[in-house]
Amino acid sequence: MYRSHNCGELRSSDITKEVTLSGWVQVSREFGGLTFVDLRDRYGITQLVFNMEDNEALCTQARSLGREFVIKIVGTVRERSNKNPNRPTGDIEIEVSALEILNPSKVPPFTIEEESDGGDELRMQYRYLDLRRGPLQRNIKFRSKLALETRKYLDSQDFIEVETPFLIKSTPEGARDFVVPSRMNEGQFYALPQSPQTFKQILMVGGIDKYFQIVKCFRDEDLRADRQPEFTQIDCEMSYITRDQILATFEGLTVHLFKELKGIELAPFPHMSYDEALERYGSDKPDLRFDMEFIYLNEQMQGHGFNVFDGAETVVGIVAKGIADSYSNKDMKGLTEWMQRPQIGAKGLVYVKYQGDGSIKSTVGKFYSDDVLSTIGTQIGAEKGDVLFVLSGEEEKTRKQLNELRLEMGRRLDLIKEGDFKPLWVIDFPLLEWDEVSERFHAMHHPFTSPKKEDVERMLTGDHATMKALRADAYDLVINGSEIGGGSIRIHDRELQQRNFDLLGFTKEEAQAQFGFLMDAFEYGAPPHGGIAFGFDRLAAVLNGQSSIRDFIAFPKNNQGRDMMIDAPSPIDEEQLKELSISLNIQE
Amino acid sequence: MYRSHNCGELRSSDITKEVTLSGWVQVSREFGGLTFVDLRDRYGITQLVFNMEDNEALCTQARSLGREFVIKIVGTVRERSNKNPNRPTGDIEIEVSALEILNPSKVPPFTIEEESDGGDELRMQYRYLDLRRGPLQRNIKFRSKLALETRKYLDSQDFIEVETPFLIKSTPEGARDFVVPSRMNEGQFYALPQSPQTFKQILMVGGIDKYFQIVKCFRDEDLRADRQPEFTQIDCEMSYITRDQILATFEGLTVHLFKELKGIELAPFPHMSYDEALERYGSDKPDLRFDMEFIYLNEQMQGHGFNVFDGAETVVGIVAKGIADSYSNKDMKGLTEWMQRPQIGAKGLVYVKYQGDGSIKSTVGKFYSDDVLSTIGTQIGAEKGDVLFVLSGEEEKTRKQLNELRLEMGRRLDLIKEGDFKPLWVIDFPLLEWDEVSERFHAMHHPFTSPKKEDVERMLTGDHATMKALRADAYDLVINGSEIGGGSIRIHDRELQQRNFDLLGFTKEEAQAQFGFLMDAFEYGAPPHGGIAFGFDRLAAVLNGQSSIRDFIAFPKNNQGRDMMIDAPSPIDEEQLKELSISLNIQE
C-alpha cells in the first residue's frame, strides 16, 4: 500500500493517527536540527517533519531529497506549532518514522509552482512537469467537470450521446481535411471529420430525435494563435424543433453550467440580429460588457468641406468617456498608429476632445467650428472630458476598424469588470456570402443551413441579387465577445439541398459523390431538424475568464501543429509507405 | 411548434386534451369508414384515427400516407374502444383534426420493425433506416446510458477525464497504425492512437493521479469478424496503487454498471492465474457459466498399448453429462469432423460412452477393457449416461482444442443459462512470449507492463530461460468467456523500461526515437502506477447478452473497413495529394 490518505485530507481531527502518504517533494527546508518537507500530490500539500536528534539516519536521508523526488512515508499526525491558515492541511504535520524513495528526480528545467519560470516551448516539451502545476491541475480538472455536467444536463433533457465515426470521407469544401490512407483499399483515403455534421443529420433521419456528443474535430488549417488542429466540441442536433426551442435548450445548458461550476447566475440572453450587431458594434460577436455603441455621423459631419468624410460611404464614431484631459497628443498619436497597423488598416483617426474646461480640441478643427462640434457633442451625449473618435470609409471595412478601436478603448479604460459575463444570441445571419475573387457564393454557416422559412421560395426561384439577401435560420452564442458556438435549422428537403449545392458551385456529380448519401436519406422521411455546436475548449476558457484555450488542453500542439513532447509528426518507415501504396513527393 | 407531446407519453389522464404530435407513419390500416395510423417516434407509438364520415378530405389525405412519411397532426386524445395492453399508449388514440405532411418517403428497402427483412449490407447502406428500428434504438440509447453511468461512477471515485490527442506519433510495434500525412511538416506523418497508453502514463507522471477517458482507438488490422478499425475503450490509469486496489476499483465499476443498467447483482469476482485457467479450461478467458473442467488422464490412459496416447505429452478429457444414450454414432462422427476442421485441427476424437444400461462403448475399446474404463469413470466421477471425450498431443495445442470442444458441448447441451453472468479476473500472465519464427520476444500485454515485483531483479540480470518464466503484473477481466478488458502495473523506472525494450528487440536508437519522451519522463519523478482498459463496444454487447458489437455502434464499418453508407474510404483530389507531398504508388 502506497498511502492511507492523500496529501490534502488530514486535519486536526486526525492527530495521533499513524498514516502512510506518498507524493512529490515540493520543497525541503532545514531549521536547526529539523527538516521540513512539503509533500505534494493532486489533492494538496502536507508538511513532513524530520528531527535530527530523534533519528539522525532518517533525517539525513530526508536532507538528501531533491525537488520532485517521489517518496512514501509512514508517520504520525501531530499538531503544528506554526499553523498555516492558507492551507487546508495547515493545522497539522507528520512526524515521519519511515521514508522510502520510490523514484528520484532530475532537477526540473523550470519551477513547479503557481507561476512557473519556464517558457512556452519548454513547458510544452516537458508537459508532464507543467501538468503538475496548480493552474494546469485546476484547468484539467475543471474541464473534466465541465464535460460531466454537460452530459448530465443533456441526459436530463433526453439527449442521447452517440459516437460518430472518425474515419470518414473527404469533402474538400471549407477547411482542409486531414486524410488517412487506407491500406486495405489501395489508392483510397479516409478523412478525419471537421465536425460530425452530416452524421448528426443522418441520426435525425434515423429517429434519434435528440443527439449530442462531446467530440474531437480536425481541421488542417494554417494555425493562427490559439487555434489547434484537433479541438473538441459539444455537438448537438434535435428533430421536430424550432429555432427558439433550440436557443432555449442551449441557453438552459449554458445557464446550468455557469451556475453549477462557477456559482454565477446569468440573466436571460438577449437576441440581436446579425445586421443590428454589425450596425451597433461593427462585429457579429460584440462584447456587451461595456457600451460605447457606434454613432453614425454622416448627417452631422458631411457637407462641411472635409473631403475625407464627404466622400465616404460611412462616417461613424464612438465616445470614450473621461479621457479628453488625460490623453496627450502623444497618446493620440500612438493610438492612431495602432489603428494604422496592417492588421487594422485605418487610414487615420479623427478625434474631438471635449475638454474638462469646456474647450474643444480636434484633428478636424479646420473644417468644423467649435459650435458645430459642440452641437454634435450634445446630440450624441458627449460630456466634458469625453473624446469622440471618428472613422470614415466603406461601411463594412470602417465598422470593422471601429470595432477594433472600441475593444481597445474598452481595455484601456478598464471598462471590463472581472467576473462579468454578457451572453448574446446573434441571429438571422446571411445565408450566402458572395466572393468577388472566386465569383461564387460561400455558405456563411455551412451548406446544410436552411434559409429562413419566408426565404425558401425566393431561394428556389430568385435571381442573383435575391440570393445575396437571403437570411439563414442560423445563430451564434457569443459571450463577452467570444463566439462560444453556433448552429442552424437544417435543410431536410432534397430539392432545396440540391439548390444550395448549385448556388455554392457544386456540379450535380460533385454534390452526389460527396453528399449523395445525405440527399438520398432526405427522401426516406427526413424530419425537420436543427442543431448547434459549442467550442468546448473555448467554453472552458471563457467560463474561467481566460483567453487561451491551450491552458485547458492536456496535450496541445504548437503553432506549427507539432506535439513538442512526443515530437510528432515524424517520418515513418519505408515499409509503412509501401503497405499504404503511397510515396513521398518532396520538393528538394 | 411541431409537437406538444411525443408519441410515447399520452395516457388515459390526457383524454380530451388537444395535442400536436409529429413522427413517422409506421403503418396505416382501413376499417370500413375509419383509417388508423400508427405514428412512431423515438419515444413510442400512438394510434391516430381518421373518420371518413366526419371529415372526408382529411381521411382521404390520411389514406394517401405511405410508410415512413413524416407528418404532423393536431387532434384530441380520446379513449380507445379496443385497448392495446402491450403498448404504454394503448389506452388512448388521437382523433385527428389537422394533418400536415412534413416530408414524404420513398418505400424503404426493408421493413422497419423489430425484426427486419433486410440483409446486413443493405441495412448498413441505409443505416439511417436501420437506426429507426427498435433494437438499434434501444442499443444506441443503452450505450449512451452506459457511458454516462461509467463517467458518473468514476467521477465519484475522484477520476478525472482527460482528453488525449488523436494526432500522435507512429510506433510501428504491435498492430499497424493508421497514419495522417502532415501538410505543414513535409514528409512527416501523424499516427492515430492504438490506445492512449503512453499519454495516460505521462498523465501519471504529471500528477493527475486517477485518469479515465472513454475514447476512440484505431488499429489498421486485417479485420476478423466483429472487429472494427475504430473502436471505443474505457481507458484508466491510477498512481500510487497496487494491483489489488485496481482490481477492486474496476470490479466496483462493473458491479455498479450491472446493477444500475440491468438490475443484476454480481457476486465478488474470483481470481484465477493464467496458468490455472489454461490448465482447467484450456483458455485464458474461460466461460465459467458451466463446469466441464479438464481432466488429465496421462496416468490412467497411458501404458495400455494405445500408441496415440502413449506418445502424447498430454492426454486430457472432459465429461459431457447425460448424452451417452442420445448421441448416435452419426452424431459422434459429426462432432469428430467438427473437431477436425482446420480452425480447430484435432487429429481425432476419442470418446467413452458410459451408457444408461451400465455398458460401456468406446472408440478405444481395443486398448482398454471395460474394467479399466469403468475404473477411470469412477475416478473422474462419470455416471451412467455420461460421455468422456479425450484428446491427446502437445499440451498447449491439445488444451486449445479441448477448450473449443468444451464450449461447443456447453452450447449443445444448453448449459448456458440466459441472464447468467460469471465474471473472472485472470491474473499473473507471462511477461514475454518467445516467437520461434522471428526469434524474439513479444510483450504478452504491451511493452510498458511491469514484471511482478519478485521478478524485477531476475529480469534485469537473468538468462534466456529466466525471461520465458517471468510473470507480469497483468490482469484481464473476463465475463462469460469474453475478454472485457485488461491492464497491468506499469514500469516506472527508466532502467527497467530500457531492459524491456532490449528484450523486445528494440535498438537503443529505436527505443529512444519512439518512446524517449516516456523514458525521459521516468527520470523526473514518475510515481508507481498501473491501469486498465475495458472494450466499451464489447461491454455494451455482453451486458445485453449479445455477441455482436456491430449492433451497438451507430455507424460500423464492414469487414473490408468500408463505411457502406457514405462509401468511404474514397479517392481524393490530385490537389490534396500535392499539398500533402505524397503520390499514389499503385501496382497496376
Side-chain angles (χ1 to χ4, degrees):
Chain A
M1 191 190 60
Y2 289 102
R3 56 188 174 193
S4 61
H5 297 76
N6 66 49
C7 295
E9 64 179 316
L10 292 169
R11 300 286 184 276
S12 292
S13 53
D14 298 303
I15 284 167
T16 74
K17 279 187 192 158
E18 186 175 91
V19 298
T20 304
L21 300 182
S22 289
W24 287 269
V25 172
Q26 172 78 19
V27 68
S28 163
R29 297 173 307 265
E30 293 177 29
F31 281 110
L34 298 177
T35 294
F36 296 97
V37 170
D38 276 355
L39 189 67
R40 187 195 71 233
D41 67 11
R42 180 185 124 190
Y43 310 92
I45 291 177
T46 297
Q47 178 166 295
L48 313 177
V49 60
F50 300 84
N51 190 328
M52 194 58 95
E53 273 182 31
D54 295 349
N55 190 334
E56 192 180 332
L58 193 67
C59 193
T60 305
Q61 193 191 3
R63 286 183 179 185
S64 77
L65 297 173
R67 281 203 289 135
E68 301 304 320
F69 272 46
V70 181
I71 62 171
K72 167 182 155 182
I73 61 98
V74 179
T76 307
V77 184
R78 72 181 195 194
E79 189 173 3
R80 202 160 144 176
S81 53
N82 189 10
K83 296 197 172 49
N84 180 348
N86 299 321
R87 196 178 274 178
T89 62
D91 286 351
I92 59 95
E93 64 191 6
I94 313 293
E95 193 176 5
V96 177
S97 57
L99 163 65
E100 182 187 347
I101 295 175
L102 298 173
N103 217 348
S105 175
K106 288 185 180 175
V107 176
F110 50 83
T111 55
I112 298 177
E113 287 168 5
E114 283 292 304
E115 296 284 331
S116 174
D117 58 357
D120 264 6
E121 297 275 290
L122 194 66
R123 289 193 291 114
M124 281 175 81
Q125 188 186 340
Y126 293 91
R127 191 69 171 176
Y128 42 88
L129 297 179
D130 207 21
L131 282 168
R132 287 186 201 156
R133 293 173 51 236
L136 273 165
Q137 289 265 322
R138 288 191 296 274
N139 288 355
I140 297 299
K141 194 167 175 179
F142 179 86
R143 185 185 175 100
S144 179
K145 291 283 178 197
L146 180 62
L148 186 61
E149 272 308 320
T150 300
R151 289 187 160 104
K152 279 156 81 171
Y153 184 83
L154 291 174
D155 176 70
S156 78
Q157 306 290 310
D158 271 338
F159 282 79
I160 300 177
E161 184 162 25
V162 183
E163 292 174 63
T164 51
F166 281 96
L167 297 172
I168 65 166
K169 186 169 175 162
S170 188
T171 54
E173 291 304 305
R176 279 189 206 82
D177 285 323
F178 284 106
V179 298
V180 181
S182 166
R183 181 178 54 85
M184 289 205 283
N185 302 273
E186 200 175 50
Q188 300 188 13
F189 292 77
Y190 301 100
L192 301 179
Q194 295 184 30
S195 89
Q197 182 62 36
T198 51
F199 284 94
K200 67 178 175 174
Q201 294 192 241
I202 286 288
L203 286 171
M204 295 305 103
V205 182
I208 294 296
D209 200 281
K210 290 181 177 181
Y211 145 90
F212 86 102
Q213 189 181 191
I214 301 183
V215 62
K216 272 283 177 74
C217 303
F218 303 86
R219 284 184 201 172
D220 184 13
E221 290 176 301
D222 296 319
L223 299 173
R224 284 179 272 160
D226 221 30
R227 283 267 183 131
Q228 291 282 319
E230 50 178 306
F231 57 96
T232 305
Q233 68 188 34
I234 306 173
D235 192 55
C236 306
E237 198 80 4
M238 305 169 82
S239 294
Y240 303 113
I241 201 80
T242 62
R243 182 197 71 189
D244 286 344
Q245 288 171 324
I246 294 179
L247 299 195
T249 303
F250 292 93
E251 184 166 324
L253 170 65
T254 310
V255 166
H256 175 81
L257 294 174
F258 272 84
K259 180 89 176 20
E260 283 299 311
L261 294 164
K262 305 301 286 185
I264 293 166
E265 303 267 5
L266 295 179
F269 302 2
H271 293 196
M272 187 183 291
S273 76
Y274 174 85
D275 286 347
E276 185 182 344
L278 285 184
E279 187 185 323
R280 290 170 62 185
Y281 301 100
S283 168
D284 60 0
K285 39 176 194 271
D287 188 339
L288 298 190
R289 285 176 296 179
F290 61 101
D291 294 331
M292 222 188 272
E293 276 191 40
F294 286 12
I295 303 157
Y296 289 83
L297 296 163
N298 290 46
E299 202 175 309
Q300 288 100 324
M301 298 196 86
Q302 286 182 330
H304 290 263
F306 181 40
N307 283 339
V308 176
F309 283 4
D310 288 352
E313 182 183 4
T314 299
V315 182
V316 57
I318 52 173
V319 171
K321 307 291 291 178
I323 60 165
D325 296 324
S326 59
Y327 261 53
S328 66
N329 284 350
K330 196 177 151 204
D331 292 333
M332 287 299 189
K333 188 157 171 269
L335 198 58
T336 305
E337 284 166 3
W338 188 87
M339 289 293 291
Q340 288 171 329
R341 289 171 314 141
Q343 300 95 304
I344 299 185
K347 294 223 173 93
L349 178 62
V350 166
Y351 63 82
V352 183
K353 278 184 170 179
Y354 295 96
Q355 297 185 119
D357 60 6
S359 66
I360 291 175
K361 197 173 158 193
S362 169
T363 46
V364 290
K366 255 201 290 188
F367 302 99
Y368 302 90
S369 68
D370 280 5
D371 268 4
V372 168
L373 294 177
S374 176
T375 305
I376 291 175
T378 307
Q379 287 170 341
I380 64 174
E383 296 172 308
K384 281 180 191 173
D386 294 352
V387 173
L388 168 67
F389 291 106
V390 188
L391 293 175
S392 66
E394 186 269 313
E395 182 181 77
E396 191 184 328
K397 203 196 284 181
T398 309
R399 283 173 168 179
K400 270 191 194 157
Q401 292 165 352
L402 193 60
N403 165 53
E404 296 292 341
L405 182 63
R406 174 179 176 270
L407 293 176
E408 178 66 12
M409 293 315 296
R411 285 187 288 266
R412 289 196 186 192
L413 300 186
D414 224 3
L415 299 180
I416 296 166
K417 268 176 292 172
E418 203 177 325
D420 193 18
F421 291 95
K422 286 282 186 278
L424 170 71
W425 288 111
V426 179
I427 58 175
D428 295 348
F429 282 79
L431 184 70
L432 302 165
E433 286 181 300
W434 180 251
D435 181 32
E436 296 289 352
V437 180
S438 61
E439 293 206 312
R440 48 183 276 196
F441 283 112
H442 289 288
M444 184 101 177
H445 186 51
H446 58 49
F448 313 103
T449 298
S450 176
K452 288 179 73 92
K453 210 163 191 178
E454 58 268 30
D455 280 0
V456 169
E457 208 43 49
R458 294 201 293 154
M459 179 170 168
L460 288 171
T461 56
D463 62 8
H464 186 83
T466 308
M467 294 308 115
K468 281 187 178 175
L470 295 173
R471 293 289 118 175
D473 222 344
Y475 32 82
D476 275 358
L477 176 61
V478 174
I479 300 180
N480 295 354
S482 280
E483 184 191 325
I484 298 300
S488 62
I489 298 294
R490 325 298 184 186
I491 296 170
H492 64 278
D493 172 84
R494 183 174 189 126
E495 189 194 0
L496 194 61
Q497 186 64 65
Q498 184 65 63
R499 169 69 175 163
N500 206 21
F501 284 133
D502 290 347
L503 289 168
L504 296 171
F506 285 74
T507 66
K508 288 263 179 302
E509 292 68 32
E510 283 167 352
Q512 186 60 33
Q514 290 176 32
F515 302 109
F517 67 98
L518 185 64
M519 290 192 289
D520 291 348
F522 286 171
E523 296 191 304
Y524 286 97
H529 61 284
I532 198 165
F534 280 5
F536 188 71
D537 313 294
R538 176 67 55 203
L539 180 63
V542 165
L543 267 158
N544 287 287
Q546 293 186 29
S547 58
S548 167
I549 62 170
R550 207 179 268 185
D551 295 337
F552 289 85
I553 298 172
F555 300 102
K557 293 189 172 53
N558 74 6
N559 285 347
Q560 283 74 50
R562 293 200 74 79
D563 184 318
M564 303 286 290
M565 183 183 73
I566 63 172
D567 192 27
S570 60
I572 60 173
D573 290 354
E574 270 306 317
E575 191 53 39
Q576 282 176 286
L577 292 172
K578 204 173 145 195
E579 282 198 326
L580 297 169
S581 308
I582 58 175
S583 51
L584 298 184
N585 190 15
I586 297 182
Q587 316 286 328
E588 298 295 336
Chain B
M1 189 191 61
Y2 289 101
R3 57 187 173 194
S4 60
H5 297 75
N6 65 48
C7 294
E9 65 179 315
L10 291 171
R11 297 288 182 276
S12 293
S13 54
D14 298 304
I15 285 168
T16 73
K17 277 188 193 159
E18 185 175 271
V19 298
T20 304
L21 301 182
S22 289
W24 287 269
V25 172
Q26 173 78 18
V27 70
S28 165
R29 295 176 307 268
E30 291 177 31
F31 281 108
L34 298 177
T35 294
F36 296 97
V37 170
D38 275 357
L39 188 67
R40 186 195 72 233
D41 66 12
R42 178 185 125 191
Y43 309 93
I45 291 179
T46 297
Q47 177 165 294
L48 313 179
V49 60
F50 299 84
N51 191 329
M52 195 57 94
E53 274 183 32
D54 296 350
N55 191 333
E56 192 181 331
L58 192 66
C59 193
T60 306
Q61 195 190 2
R63 289 185 177 185
S64 77
L65 297 173
R67 281 203 289 135
E68 302 305 317
F69 272 46
V70 181
I71 63 170
K72 169 182 153 180
I73 60 99
V74 179
T76 307
V77 184
R78 71 179 194 194
E79 190 172 3
R80 202 160 144 175
S81 53
N82 189 9
K83 297 195 173 51
N84 179 349
N86 299 321
R87 196 179 273 177
T89 62
D91 287 350
I92 58 97
E93 63 191 6
I94 314 292
E95 191 176 7
V96 177
S97 57
L99 163 65
E100 183 186 346
I101 296 175
L102 298 173
N103 217 348
S105 175
K106 288 187 182 173
V107 176
F110 50 83
T111 54
I112 298 176
E113 288 168 5
E114 283 292 303
E115 295 285 330
S116 175
D117 58 357
D120 265 7
E121 296 275 289
L122 194 67
R123 288 192 292 116
M124 282 176 81
Q125 188 187 340
Y126 292 91
R127 190 70 171 174
Y128 40 88
L129 298 179
D130 207 21
L131 282 168
R132 286 187 201 155
R133 293 172 53 236
L136 273 164
Q137 290 265 321
R138 288 191 296 274
N139 287 355
I140 297 299
K141 194 167 175 180
F142 179 86
R143 186 185 175 101
S144 178
K145 291 285 179 198
L146 179 62
L148 186 62
E149 272 310 319
T150 301
R151 289 185 160 105
K152 279 156 84 172
Y153 184 83
L154 291 174
D155 176 71
S156 77
Q157 305 291 312
D158 272 337
F159 282 79
I160 299 176
E161 184 162 26
V162 183
E163 292 173 62
T164 52
F166 282 95
L167 297 172
I168 66 166
K169 187 169 175 161
S170 187
T171 54
E173 291 304 306
R176 280 189 204 83
D177 286 322
F178 283 106
V179 298
V180 182
S182 166
R183 182 178 54 85
M184 290 205 281
N185 302 273
E186 201 176 49
Q188 299 189 14
F189 293 75
Y190 302 100
L192 301 180
Q194 296 184 29
S195 90
Q197 183 61 37
T198 52
F199 284 95
K200 68 177 175 175
Q201 293 192 242
I202 286 288
L203 286 171
M204 294 305 104
V205 182
I208 293 297
D209 200 278
K210 289 181 177 180
Y211 145 90
F212 86 102
Q213 189 181 191
I214 300 183
V215 62
K216 272 282 177 77
C217 302
F218 304 85
R219 283 184 202 171
D220 185 12
E221 289 176 300
D222 297 319
L223 299 174
R224 281 180 274 161
D226 221 31
R227 283 266 182 129
Q228 291 282 318
E230 49 177 306
F231 56 96
T232 304
Q233 68 187 32
I234 306 173
D235 192 54
C236 305
E237 198 80 3
M238 305 170 82
S239 294
Y240 303 114
I241 201 80
T242 62
R243 181 198 72 188
D244 286 343
Q245 288 170 325
I246 293 179
L247 300 195
T249 303
F250 291 94
E251 184 166 323
L253 170 65
T254 309
V255 166
H256 175 82
L257 293 175
F258 271 85
K259 181 90 177 20
E260 283 299 312
L261 294 164
K262 305 301 286 184
I264 293 166
E265 304 268 4
L266 295 179
F269 301 3
H271 294 198
M272 188 183 290
S273 75
Y274 173 86
D275 286 346
E276 185 184 343
L278 286 184
E279 188 185 322
R280 292 172 59 188
Y281 302 100
S283 167
D284 60 0
K285 37 179 195 272
D287 188 338
L288 298 190
R289 285 176 295 179
F290 62 100
D291 295 330
M292 224 188 272
E293 277 192 39
F294 286 12
I295 303 157
Y296 289 84
L297 296 163
N298 291 47
E299 203 175 309
Q300 288 99 324
M301 298 196 87
Q302 287 181 330
H304 290 262
F306 182 40
N307 283 338
V308 175
F309 283 5
D310 288 352
E313 183 183 4
T314 299
V315 181
V316 58
I318 51 174
V319 171
K321 306 293 288 179
I323 60 165
D325 296 323
S326 59
Y327 260 52
S328 66
N329 283 348
K330 196 178 153 202
D331 292 334
M332 287 299 188
K333 187 158 173 265
L335 199 58
T336 305
E337 283 166 4
W338 188 87
M339 288 295 291
Q340 288 173 327
R341 291 172 312 142
Q343 299 96 303
I344 298 184
K347 292 220 175 95
L349 178 62
V350 166
Y351 63 82
V352 181
K353 278 185 172 179
Y354 296 95
Q355 298 185 117
D357 61 6
S359 66
I360 291 175
K361 196 173 160 194
S362 169
T363 46
V364 290
K366 258 201 288 189
F367 304 99
Y368 303 88
S369 68
D370 280 5
D371 269 3
V372 168
L373 295 176
S374 176
T375 306
I376 291 175
T378 308
Q379 286 171 343
I380 65 175
E383 297 170 308
K384 281 180 191 172
D386 295 351
V387 173
L388 168 66
F389 292 105
V390 188
L391 293 175
S392 66
E394 187 268 312
E395 181 181 79
E396 192 184 328
K397 205 196 282 180
T398 308
R399 284 174 168 179
K400 270 190 194 158
Q401 292 165 353
L402 193 59
N403 166 53
E404 296 293 341
L405 181 63
R406 175 180 176 269
L407 294 175
E408 178 66 12
M409 292 317 295
R411 283 187 289 266
R412 291 196 185 191
L413 301 187
D414 223 4
L415 299 180
I416 297 167
K417 269 177 290 174
E418 204 178 323
D420 193 18
F421 291 96
K422 285 283 186 277
L424 169 72
W425 287 111
V426 179
I427 58 175
D428 296 348
F429 282 78
L431 183 69
L432 301 166
E433 284 181 300
W434 179 251
D435 182 31
E436 297 289 351
V437 180
S438 60
E439 293 207 311
R440 46 183 279 197
F441 282 111
H442 290 288
M444 183 103 177
H445 186 52
H446 58 50
F448 313 104
T449 298
S450 176
K452 289 181 72 93
K453 210 163 191 179
E454 57 269 30
D455 279 1
V456 169
E457 206 46 48
R458 293 202 293 155
M459 179 170 167
L460 288 171
T461 57
D463 61 9
H464 186 83
T466 308
M467 293 308 114
K468 282 187 178 174
L470 294 174
R471 294 288 117 176
D473 222 343
Y475 32 81
D476 274 359
L477 176 60
V478 174
I479 300 181
N480 295 356
S482 281
E483 183 191 325
I484 298 299
S488 62
I489 298 295
R490 325 299 185 186
I491 297 169
H492 64 278
D493 173 83
R494 183 175 189 125
E495 190 194 358
L496 194 61
Q497 186 66 64
Q498 183 67 61
R499 169 70 175 162
N500 207 20
F501 285 133
D502 290 347
L503 289 169
L504 296 171
F506 285 75
T507 66
K508 288 261 179 304
E509 293 68 32
E510 283 167 352
Q512 185 61 32
Q514 289 175 32
F515 302 109
F517 67 97
L518 185 64
M519 290 192 288
D520 291 348
F522 285 171
E523 297 192 305
Y524 287 96
H529 62 285
I532 199 167
F534 280 4
F536 188 70
D537 312 293
R538 176 68 53 203
L539 180 63
V542 165
L543 267 158
N544 288 287
Q546 295 187 26
S547 59
S548 167
I549 63 171
R550 207 181 266 184
D551 294 337
F552 289 84
I553 298 171
F555 300 102
K557 293 188 171 57
N558 74 5
N559 283 349
Q560 283 73 50
R562 293 199 74 80
D563 184 318
M564 303 286 291
M565 182 184 73
I566 63 171
D567 192 28
S570 60
I572 61 173
D573 290 353
E574 269 306 316
E575 189 54 37
Q576 282 177 286
L577 292 172
K578 203 173 146 192
E579 282 197 327
L580 296 171
S581 308
I582 58 175
S583 52
L584 298 183
N585 190 15
I586 297 180
Q587 316 287 328
E588 298 296 338

